[in-house]
Every structure is written in structure tokens, then in C-alpha cells.
Amino acid sequence: MPGRSKVKPAESDRRRLLLRALAAGGASLLAGCDRLSRTAWFPEVLAGAEKVTEAAQRAVTPRGAMAQEFDEADLSPSFRSNGTANPNNPQYQALAAGGFAGYRLRVFGLVDHPRSYSLDEIRALPSRTQITRHDCVEGWSAIGKWKGARLSALLDEVQPNASARYAVFYCADPMDNKGTRYYESIDMDDAHHPQTLLAYDLNDRRLPVANGAPIRLRVERQLGYKMAKYVMAIEFVDSFKDIGAGKGGYWEDLGYEWYAGI
Ligand SMILES: Nc1nc2c(c(=O)[nH]1)N[C@H]1C(S)=C(S)[C@@H](COP(=O)(O)O)O[C@H]1N2
Ligand SMILES: [Mo]
């Protein structure tokens, strides 16, 4: 086929595309078939699909595995913005206008030492820099260089207790006029993973507002929608039942997979 590469995509690339399609599958069905989403069996189909995806993922990649890292030469010319590009929230706008000097990350829930962090305090935590590829279910990818505090270092300080099962990330951006905000969650395995960062720099510069300033989550073996931008608070919980629609994230509440591993 002229103009088409004959190179076979690497196994990992094919798996990534498949998982991306699976992760979005439930949501596009929901969007396309509004009537179906109101029948009793439909949520069960989605729940079943999630279990299959997670089981398949665990079978091919151990949970502790590192996501692929790249070189400076691989960096995308620019890292695009997706979803919210500038939160429509007066408190956030005031923080941004002050260079985020007044920003505080609140950490609470099932932890022995709840506390807040200023940006300087987050920057003082043990950090990591990594060049990784971000894959969005909408069909684009970009390679960027991220620097941030290791979430594991924050865990060492706040000490989640034995009943903590998930970290929930609450964001500044409203998604509608009813007070719904973007949020996301990960389990404690991913929270402890060395590549899981509270990122404050992108491509050697302060994280731009369009990409989640002042803090955005990087959880490198998962899809783009897990990487919460504009993180204002982190809560440690044992279940999602009292949060949003109870599925663990803004997009999950609308039908996306909770476990978006790649
Ligand atoms: N708070 C918040 N986080 C978010 C989103 C968003 O709209 N709001 N979009 C998600 C999606 S779908 C993707 S692909 C990435 C996009 O990150 P970027 O804007 O840095 O490209 O952020 C994710 N995190
Ligand atoms: Mo995305």
C-alpha cells in the first residue's frame, strides 16, 4: 500500500490501542444509546467489561511494571491541552492571578496525619523527572517531560491507614452548572508506584494552566483521563459510594472504565 508504513506495530502499541478502544467503549455506547442506559441490565454489562479488561491487563503486565520512558529527542513539539484548558472557577482564577502563592493542597480522609501543602512544600518533596507518552481515548498521544513530587513521598508523610484503599483527586474545574467537578481516583498500588507524580513542571517549565497548573497527577500506565489536572485536594477512602455517582471519577460516572491501564 503506497504511503502506508509496512512496519508492524509493536505488540505494546496494539495492546494500547485495543485497551483504549475498550476503555471508551462503554462511554460511547452510553452516548449513542441513551435509552439503553436506562435499562437495568446495562450498568451490569459495563461492570462486567471492566472486570475483563482489568483481568486481561493484570495478566499481561505486572502492577509494579514501569511505563516506557523516552529521550529528549522523542518529545512532541508541543503538548496539547484537552478537556478543561482554564477552569471557570473564581477561586481558581484568583489563585492563578497570584501565581498560585495562595495554593494549598489539602490531604485528608483515612490518613494518620492530614495536612495541607503549599506549592513550595510540594516542590521540596523528593521528586522524579520522566519522559512518557500520554494516550487519550479520543485518539491522540503526546510525549512530554514531567517533573513532580513522588506521590509515595507524600504517602510517607501523611501515612494512609490500613483501611485506605484509594486516593481520590479533587479538581478545580466545574464540568456543569450543578457543581459537578472533575475528579479521579487510583488504588494504593498505583499511588505507591515510582512513576506516579504530583507534577508541577512540563518540558522544563512551570506547568501551564492549559495542562493543569499548579499540580496535575501523572499515573503513567493509565490513560489520559486518569491524569487529573488542577488538583486541589486528595482524599484517602475505602470506597467511592459517597463520591459523585460512586464510580471513582468524572468520566467513570459517565461510563468509562475505572481501571484504564495500558
Ligand atoms: N481536571 C481535569 N483533569 C483532566 C481533564 C479535565 O478536563 N479536567 N481531562 C483529562 C483528559 S481526557 C486528558 S486526555 C488529559 C489531558 O491533559 P492535557 O490537557 O495536559 O493534554 O487530562 C485529563 N485530566
Ligand atoms: Mo483524554
Side-chain angles (χ1 to χ4, degrees), residues 68-79:
Q68 186 180 2
E69 295 194 13
F70 297 81
D71 297 326
E72 302 266 345
D74 303 315
L75 286 172
S76 300
S78 71
F79 199 99

Side-chain angles (χ1 to χ4, degrees), residues 79-85 87 134-138 140 142 146 169-175 181-184 202 207-212 215-218 223-231 250-251 256:
F79 199 99
R80 62 169 279 185
S81 172
N82 200 45
T84 303
H134 176 109
D135 299 307
C136 173
V137 289
E138 289 169 32
W140 59 273
W146 303 96
F169 300 82
Y170 297 107
C171 307
D173 45 333
M175 305 305 286
R181 299 266 184 98
Y182 201 97
Y183 77 102
E184 257 304 338
L202 170 58
L207 186 62
V209 166
N211 302 102
I215 294 292
R216 73 100 45 88
L217 178 65
R218 295 302 306 172
L223 292 168
Y225 62 86
K226 299 298 288 187
M227 321 244 183
K229 308 196 280 188
Y230 320 111
V231 176
Y250 172 75
W251 286 112
Y256 275 52

Side-chain angles (χ1 to χ4, degrees), residues 11 41 46-47 52 54 57 117 137-138 178-179 205 214 219-220 225 230 240 257 259:
E11 176 60 31
W41 56 267
L46 289 179
V52 170
E54 184 170 352
Q57 157 67 22
Y117 288 84
V137 289
E138 289 169 32
K178 289 176 263 166
R205 299 190 173 176
V219 47
E220 297 296 353
Y225 62 86
Y230 320 111
F240 304 134
E257 302 295 334
Y259 192 79

